[in-house]
Amino acid sequence: MAMVCLTDFEEYAKEHLSKATWDYYAAGADECCTRDDNILAYKRIRLRPRILRDVSVSDTRTTVQGTEISFPVGIAPTAFHCLAWHEGEVATARATEALNTCYITSTYSTCSVEEIVAAAPNGYRWFQLYVYRDRKLSEQIVHRVEGLGYKALVLTVDVPYTGKRRNDIRNQFKLPPHLKVKNFDGVFQQEGSVPEDYGIPANTLDPSISWKDVYWLQSITRLPIIIKGILTKEDAELAVEHGVQGIIVSNHGGRQLDGGPASIDALTEIVDTVQGRIEIYLDGGIRTGSDVLKALALGAKCVFIGRPAVWGLAYKGEEGVREVLQILNDEFRLSMALSGCRNVAEINRNLIQFAKL
């Protein structure tokens, strides 16, 4: 079967993954309103294409944090890639290296940060971080990834507690015994009696995390800090005031608070508040090249895909992730050209139809 669009990969993954694994990746919080709205929100946005602009040559390249990538789509941090494909994050890393874009490695990887670097030594990578009750755990992993050449830290700030994902509770989701959260291998010598939350002991995450922890993180690393999980202009302003280098507008794929905005709907107020002082990225709901175009027109510098990368893995490992990225790249290039844009610098808000009927 020819894989033509990202939905084809989704259907393949749904058919071929176990029910518990599919449910884990697909899960949203509570009634999944926000998860579903992440996708539906793009369909409400209309483009204003310009014509007769000579689009015979097009260029999709852009930069993030000063580094050039081939097109403005990276891989968002998602956990447990080995559930989808035996090579897991190693395959994802090779695919993103091959397409010369950014891979945000999850703390909850089923391959270690060292294995990922060894598999794709020239890849451009950021590392997604949680703050733990035991700050030493967070500090050790920061120093590990800094030494390995990861180029930024992505601090996830929307998980003081894990959202209620109903199917995971029904399925009693657990990592299979042959897989583990590799970055913490041997750190938690847990007895069978300790309740587990997605591969690590429950209550490991610190719900007391606050803005002062951003200062703490800056004190232990020289890497740029990007905050993931901001949805309001107030928090965007605080992020700038605290000296971070970027924001990822994100609702965690609709897996945390149900009833919050779609990330694309939160983007505009954040862009208007930040006014170019730091870079703004977005994840959640990107399924087509025109979705990418809409996000860039509304002010995102780059977008990141989560679930579609996992679907690509489930289809054919590294090759599947490459195909997913290539399809998005081709669709984005086509949408750009059909809108009259020759390069990403020409994409701006004039492309968006704001008037409501």
Side-chain angles (χ1 to χ4, degrees):
M1 177 176 119
M3 304 304 253
V4 175
C5 62
L6 270 54
T7 312
D8 292 342
F9 292 88
E10 179 178 17
E11 286 170 4
Y12 181 95
K14 186 168 189 178
E15 219 171 284
H16 290 80
L17 294 171
S18 74
K19 183 185 184 301
T21 296
W22 170 260
D23 284 350
Y24 166 71
Y25 289 133
D30 302 327
E31 297 174 295
C32 300
C33 298
T34 298
R35 177 197 70 182
D36 296 345
D37 201 36
N38 269 350
I39 292 169
L40 293 171
Y42 284 97
K43 303 187 196 311
R44 298 192 286 265
I45 298 169
R46 293 288 172 265
L47 293 164
R48 301 176 64 248
R50 299 296 306 276
I51 43 88
L52 299 174
R53 298 279 285 261
D54 182 4
V55 289
S56 55
V57 178
S58 64
D59 183 357
T60 61
R61 289 175 301 170
T62 190
T63 62
V64 286
Q65 299 296 318
T67 295
E68 186 180 283
I69 54 176
S70 63
F71 72 122
V73 179
I75 303 281
T78 49
F80 309 151
H81 287 192
C82 284
L83 283 176
W85 182 259
H86 61 99
E87 289 181 303
E89 289 81 6
V90 155
T92 312
R94 288 197 199 111
T96 37
E97 180 186 59
L99 270 94
N100 185 30
T101 190
C102 179
Y103 171 29
I104 308 178
T105 304
S106 169
T107 282
Y108 285 75
S109 293
T110 37
C111 302
S112 70
V113 284
E114 289 81 5
E115 288 166 332
I116 289 164
V117 169
N122 301 311
Y124 178 60
R125 274 176 292 269
W126 300 347
F127 182 77
Q128 176 272 329
L129 179 76
Y130 288 107
V131 171
Y132 298 106
R133 289 175 192 266
D134 177 0
R135 290 290 189 278
K136 274 276 173 281
L137 269 186
S138 300
E139 194 169 337
Q140 283 162 1
I141 193 92
V142 165
H143 291 149
R144 263 169 82 186
V145 299
E146 194 163 7
L148 286 164
Y150 283 73
K151 297 302 185 209
L153 294 174
V154 175
L155 177 64
T156 300
V157 293
D158 54 6
V159 191
Y161 301 96
T162 306
K164 182 178 179 180
R165 303 163 197 170
R166 295 175 183 179
N167 282 342
D168 286 348
I169 298 167
R170 290 187 184 110
N171 296 333
Q172 299 184 302
F173 175 82
K174 266 196 169 56
L175 270 184
H178 68 285
L179 296 179
K180 44 172 88 82
V181 180
K182 263 303 199 42
N183 290 319
F184 296 129
D185 199 4
V187 171
F188 304 113
Q189 303 300 341
Q190 61 187 95
E191 307 304 311
S193 60
V194 177
E196 192 189 279
D197 193 16
Y198 297 107
I200 64 170
N203 302 320
T204 307
L205 291 175
D206 190 351
S208 81
I209 181 173
S210 70
W211 286 105
K212 70 178 188 304
D213 293 296
V214 174
Y215 287 142
W216 169 75
L217 202 50
Q218 288 164 336
S219 77
I220 65 164
T221 182
R222 295 168 63 177
L223 290 176
I225 293 165
I226 293 154
I227 293 199
K228 174 179 178 288
I230 285 182
L231 291 167
T232 62
K233 60 186 179 186
E234 293 88 348
D235 283 336
E237 182 58 46
L238 283 165
V240 174
E241 287 172 11
H242 283 78
V244 306
Q245 279 71 38
I247 287 169
I248 302 179
V249 178
S250 173
N251 52 36
H252 215 102
R255 293 161 77 82
Q256 284 300 103
L257 176 69
D258 199 29
S263 43
I264 191 69
D265 287 341
L267 178 62
T268 309
E269 73 171 64
I270 291 170
V271 168
D272 289 346
T273 294
V274 170
Q275 295 197 317
R277 289 175 289 172
I278 59 176
E279 290 184 350
I280 297 170
Y281 318 109
L282 169 141
D283 69 22
I286 297 281
R287 298 293 179 267
T288 67
S290 80
D291 294 342
V292 180
L293 182 65
K294 289 169 182 177
L296 263 66
L298 288 171
K301 181 81 169 149
C302 179
V303 301
F304 293 90
I305 55 168
R307 292 182 183 95
V310 171
W311 305 335
L313 277 177
Y315 174 60
K316 216 182 270 188
E318 176 191 343
E319 194 184 323
V321 179
R322 283 165 83 148
E323 279 189 51
V324 164
L325 287 168
Q326 191 61 56
I327 285 170
L328 273 179
N329 193 350
D330 294 344
E331 289 181 352
F332 173 60
R333 188 184 295 275
L334 182 58
S335 294
M336 264 175 67
L338 296 178
S339 301
C341 300
R342 288 162 291 214
N343 54 57
V344 294
E346 292 184 349
I347 301 170
N348 61 49
R349 260 191 210 184
N350 294 330
L351 270 183
I352 301 293
Q353 180 79 267
F354 278 103
K356 297 279 185 284
L357 291 176

